[in-house]
Amino acid sequence: MQSGKARTDEWVLEFEQSEARRADPLMGWTGSGDTQSQVQLTFPSKEAAKEYAERYGIVARVHATPPKTLKLQAYADNFR
């Protein structure tokens, strides 16, 4: 299988959780009352994301994307 490269050049702004997640006693699912942690905003460039954060007073940290390494492998390698 091959992974596509669609939307790999976008920058994402995610909000940190303001309260801890807790387990629901009935179903066992985890959740919280913090709706901001569900929001993801995408931007075409890093500068646009930083500008948005500054405009609305959001403290932002930039995490660099780790370099991608290719693992070249032939189908025949599965049978060695």
Side-chain angles (χ1 to χ4, degrees):
M1 298 182 73
Q2 297 179 359
S3 297
K5 295 187 184 250
R7 301 180 68 180
T8 57
D9 56 347
E10 292 181 348
W11 286 82
V12 178
L13 177 70
E14 297 177 331
F15 293 92
E16 290 184 358
Q17 287 187 315
S18 62
E19 67 180 54
R21 293 168 95 42
R22 58 189 177 279
D24 180 75
L26 179 63
M27 298 297 289
W29 297 340
T30 58
S32 71
D34 180 26
T35 57
Q36 285 286 25
S37 63
Q38 300 172 8
V39 176
Q40 283 188 344
L41 302 173
T42 57
F43 298 93
S45 67
K46 177 171 68 170
E47 290 77 24
K50 287 174 116 178
E51 180 183 322
Y52 180 87
E54 288 175 6
R55 186 177 338 132
Y56 290 102
I58 301 169
V59 178
R61 291 181 295 183
V62 176
H63 295 280
T65 305
K68 297 187 180 193
T69 58
L70 293 176
K71 180 181 176 187
L72 299 176
Q73 183 176 354
Y75 180 72
D77 292 341
N78 294 332
F79 302 101
R80 285 189 180 179

